[in-house]
Amino acid sequence: MGYISKSFKHLFGYRVARPGKEEQSEELRAIYEAKKGTLSKSDLEKVHIEHKQPYGGKWLKRRWLTLIAVNLLFVVSFYFDIQLLEGALTASRFVGFHMADLNSALQVILAYKVMVLNLFIGTVTVFLLWVLLGGRTFCSWACPYHLLAEWAEYLHLWLAKRKIVSDHSFNRKVRTVFYLLFVVLALVTGYTVFETLSPTGILSRALIYGPGLALLWVLALLAFEVFYSRRAWCRYVCPIGMTYGVVGVISPLRVTYNAEACHHEGDCRKVCLVPHVLDLTIRGGASQVHEDVGADCTRCGLCVDVCPTDSLKYEFKGLSKLV
C-alpha cells in the first residue's frame, strides 16, 4: 500500500492490513528469513542496556524545550508589549505578519462563510510552514495541551502498572465522527463551537492573558485521561490533529523505518501516542526494507529515542542525499 493511502487510512481510523508475502520485496523477505532464530533473549537485553538513556532521549528534550519556548514567546511578547509574537496559538501575528491555526481558520470560514484577506494570508503561511515541518508536528512540538497530556500519561501508566487504574480504548474512527460533528456545528450555528472546547486554545490564552474558568474543562480532560483512558482527547477527539495530519501527507519531513536493523522488540509502539502508525515495525508488517511511517505520526521522536537499533530516524525527503 502506498504512503498516501496508508496515511489516510490511519487518519480516518481504519486498520491497515498486513502486507502479504507477495507484496513484500524479495530483499525484505530475505532479511526476515535471515533473522529467524539468530537473536537470543540475552542478545536483546544487551542491546537495550547499551541504548538506555536514564534522563530521557535527545529528541524528547529538544521537543519539550521547543514547545515551551514557542508558548513562552507569546507570553513574553504580551508581557513586555514588544509585538514580536502577538495573539495566541489559534490566531497570531509574528512581527506583524498574520498567522492562523489551520483548524481554527477552517472553523471560522465555515461559521462566518467569508474569508478576509488577513485570514487567507495567515492560513496559507501556516499551511506552508507545517508542510515543511511535518503536519502533526504541530501537536507534539507546539500544542501546550500535548505537553500536559504527556505528563498525565506518565501518571496514568504509573497507576496502571500498580493496577490502580486500567486503560480503556475506543474505536479510532470516532475521531472522524467528532471532526464531522464540529464541521456541521460551525456551519449550522455560525459559531466556532470547537474553539470553545479546545484545550489547545484555552491553555494558550490562559498562559498569555491569565487563567479563567475554562481551565476547569482542561483539568477534567486530564483527569479523564489519568484515570480512565490514556491520551483520549488527542487519540479520539481532537480535530486539530486530523487537520494537521492531512497536511503531513505531503510533508517531506517524516520518520522512516529500516527493517534490516530492526529486532522487532516493540519498544517504539509502547511509547507512541499513535501506535497504529508503527505496525510496520511488527515482524512481517513492512512491505519494503525502507518505509516511511504514516502521516498520523506526530514526529514527536519518542520512537526514535527509544529504538535500541536506530531503525527509526527522521528524514527530510530530498535532502538526505545532499547532507
Side-chain angles (χ1 to χ4, degrees):
M1 179 175 290
Y3 175 78
I4 293 176
S5 56
K6 180 176 70 176
S7 293
F8 277 113
K9 274 200 162 190
H10 283 155
L11 285 166
F12 295 141
Y14 288 91
R15 183 176 173 275
V16 175
R18 179 181 290 207
K21 285 192 175 180
E22 68 283 0
E23 298 174 88
Q24 295 174 333
S25 67
E26 286 187 20
E27 186 183 3
L28 180 64
R29 289 204 300 271
I31 288 171
Y32 282 149
E33 192 63 31
K35 286 180 184 175
K36 278 186 178 177
T38 56
L39 287 170
S40 66
K41 191 175 179 181
S42 61
D43 290 333
L44 292 175
E45 286 177 356
K46 186 180 175 184
V47 173
H48 275 102
I49 292 168
E50 287 174 354
H51 187 80
K52 194 171 183 181
Q53 301 174 72
Y55 303 109
K58 68 177 182 182
W59 287 108
L60 180 140
K61 292 170 188 169
R62 290 173 182 177
R63 181 166 55 80
W64 282 8
L65 285 174
T66 303
L67 193 154
I68 291 169
V70 167
N71 287 279
L72 204 56
L73 195 55
F74 281 105
V75 178
V76 170
S77 298
F78 176 75
Y79 187 80
F80 293 104
D81 193 22
I82 54 178
Q83 299 178 350
L84 179 61
L85 186 56
E86 304 168 88
L89 267 181
T90 48
S92 59
R93 285 197 306 177
F94 181 64
V95 290
F97 201 81
H98 289 275
M99 302 179 79
D101 163 60
L102 298 180
N103 196 72
S104 301
L106 179 63
Q107 288 278 310
V108 168
I109 294 165
L110 293 171
Y112 301 107
K113 284 85 176 173
V114 293
M115 189 170 193
V116 297
L117 181 60
N118 285 339
L119 180 61
F120 176 77
I121 294 171
T123 304
V124 171
T125 303
V126 171
F127 172 79
L128 294 174
L129 177 69
W130 289 106
V131 165
L132 282 176
L133 295 179
R136 285 205 72 187
T137 321
F138 172 86
C139 300
S140 58
W141 290 74
C143 174
Y145 183 75
H146 189 283
L147 185 59
L148 292 186
E150 199 170 344
W151 293 341
E153 184 179 20
Y154 292 140
L155 180 55
H156 173 86
L157 294 174
W158 186 83
L159 293 171
K161 191 174 180 181
R162 284 155 183 77
K163 301 188 184 306
I164 298 172
V165 303
S166 56
D167 186 39
H168 299 81
S169 59
F170 301 93
N171 191 317
R172 290 193 301 104
K173 289 178 184 172
V174 76
R175 187 174 64 163
T176 307
V177 175
F178 274 113
Y179 193 95
L180 295 173
L181 176 65
F182 288 123
V183 164
V184 171
L185 283 173
L187 271 172
V188 173
T189 66
Y191 186 71
T192 54
V193 177
F194 173 71
E195 293 309 311
T196 309
L197 300 172
S198 168
T200 304
I202 291 171
L203 277 172
S204 182
R205 291 189 291 273
L207 284 169
I208 300 163
Y209 307 117
L213 286 176
L215 280 182
L216 293 175
W217 166 244
V218 178
L219 289 175
L221 288 176
L222 290 171
F224 184 78
E225 296 185 354
V226 169
F227 296 108
Y228 194 78
S229 181
R230 178 184 179 186
R231 301 299 289 269
W233 178 266
C234 301
R235 284 181 173 177
Y236 307 115
V237 181
C238 188
I240 297 175
M242 184 172 282
T243 299
Y244 282 90
V246 172
V247 174
V249 172
I250 56 172
S251 174
L253 178 61
R254 299 172 187 174
V255 172
T256 60
Y257 171 63
N258 178 358
E260 186 171 14
C262 182
H263 290 174
H264 313 292
E265 311 90 342
D267 294 0
C268 53
R269 296 191 301 282
K270 291 176 187 171
V271 299
C272 184
L273 165 66
V274 281
H276 51 275
V277 303
L278 290 172
D279 282 353
L280 78 171
T281 65
I282 300 171
R283 186 182 175 87
S287 55
Q288 302 294 328
V289 179
H290 299 277
E291 198 165 319
D292 296 333
V293 175
D296 204 18
C297 168
T298 66
R299 281 76 161 172
C300 70
L302 286 176
C303 63
V304 179
D305 277 337
V306 79
C307 179
T309 55
D310 295 328
S311 303
L312 292 156
K313 292 183 177 177
Y314 283 111
E315 184 175 342
F316 199 94
K317 297 292 175 183
L319 290 184
S320 302
K321 293 179 181 176
L322 300 177
V323 296

